[in-house]
Amino acid sequence: SVVSFANAQKIAFKGGFTYSDAIMSPEPVDIIDGKAGFHAGIVLQDLMLSDKIGIQPELIYSQQGFKIGGVGSIGMHYLSLPILLKFPVTEELSLLAGPQVSYLTNTKIGIGNGLFSVNYNGLFKDIDLGLAGGLEYKVSDKVALGGRYVLGLTNVNKDFQIDNNNNLSDYLSIKNTSAQVYVSFSFGKN
């Protein structure tokens, strides 16, 4: 059968905790730590392609970033579009996995553990491609709990030229990573 967004059985609003970090190469000597934030957005649920597989598009605002050696932090604000395949394991439990594209809406550089921060939007690439995977447990017809891991595939470090032939991104790769836990509330048909 043909699936369309008009056939979506439920729209859900979701929100929760995000713990983000950065994978850097080469890795600085233990100066990068994870950062807590939140995410919230809209989910189209129950777009089933068959009885064994569905598709779940989402539109999510997510706070990400990392801390630098106890002296500062990088805060990255993304608008993300995960397009996840949904594999029901049981009637209540589903496995979700698929690609995610994220658009960087804002970057904040914090100094002195949040005492001072400044917007700086030229530091990282605007688009971040990633892979997302996790589990979702349906508590009731309207409420679900979930957990997800997102691995960035894009070196988000911008190509700042440091000499005639080399860019900063040639020497330092920064990839986003995050773990999320959330609750979603559905509206629509049962």
Side-chain angles (χ1 to χ4, degrees), residues 54-65:
I55 190 166
Q56 182 168 299
E58 303 178 358
L59 184 60
I60 307 294
Y61 165 79
S62 180
Q63 291 181 329
Q64 292 179 216

Side-chain angles (χ1 to χ4, degrees), residues 45-76:
Q45 294 180 321
D46 297 339
L47 293 169
M48 297 306 292
L49 302 172
S50 73
D51 59 346
K52 298 191 188 306
I53 189 170
I55 190 166
Q56 182 168 299
E58 303 178 358
L59 184 60
I60 307 294
Y61 165 79
S62 180
Q63 291 181 329
Q64 292 179 216
F66 50 93
K67 293 180 183 176
I68 304 169
V71 296
S73 65
I74 303 289
M76 303 158 92

Side-chain angles (χ1 to χ4, degrees), residues 1-5 7-9 43-58 82-90 93-99 136:
S1 70
V2 175
V3 175
S4 70
F5 291 115
N7 291 334
Q9 297 298 307
V43 179
L44 293 179
Q45 294 180 321
D46 297 339
L47 293 169
M48 297 306 292
L49 302 172
S50 73
D51 59 346
K52 298 191 188 306
I53 189 170
I55 190 166
Q56 182 168 299
E58 303 178 358
I83 305 290
L84 305 172
L85 292 177
K86 185 173 187 174
F87 305 95
V89 178
T90 67
L93 184 66
S94 293
L95 174 66
L96 298 160
E136 187 170 88

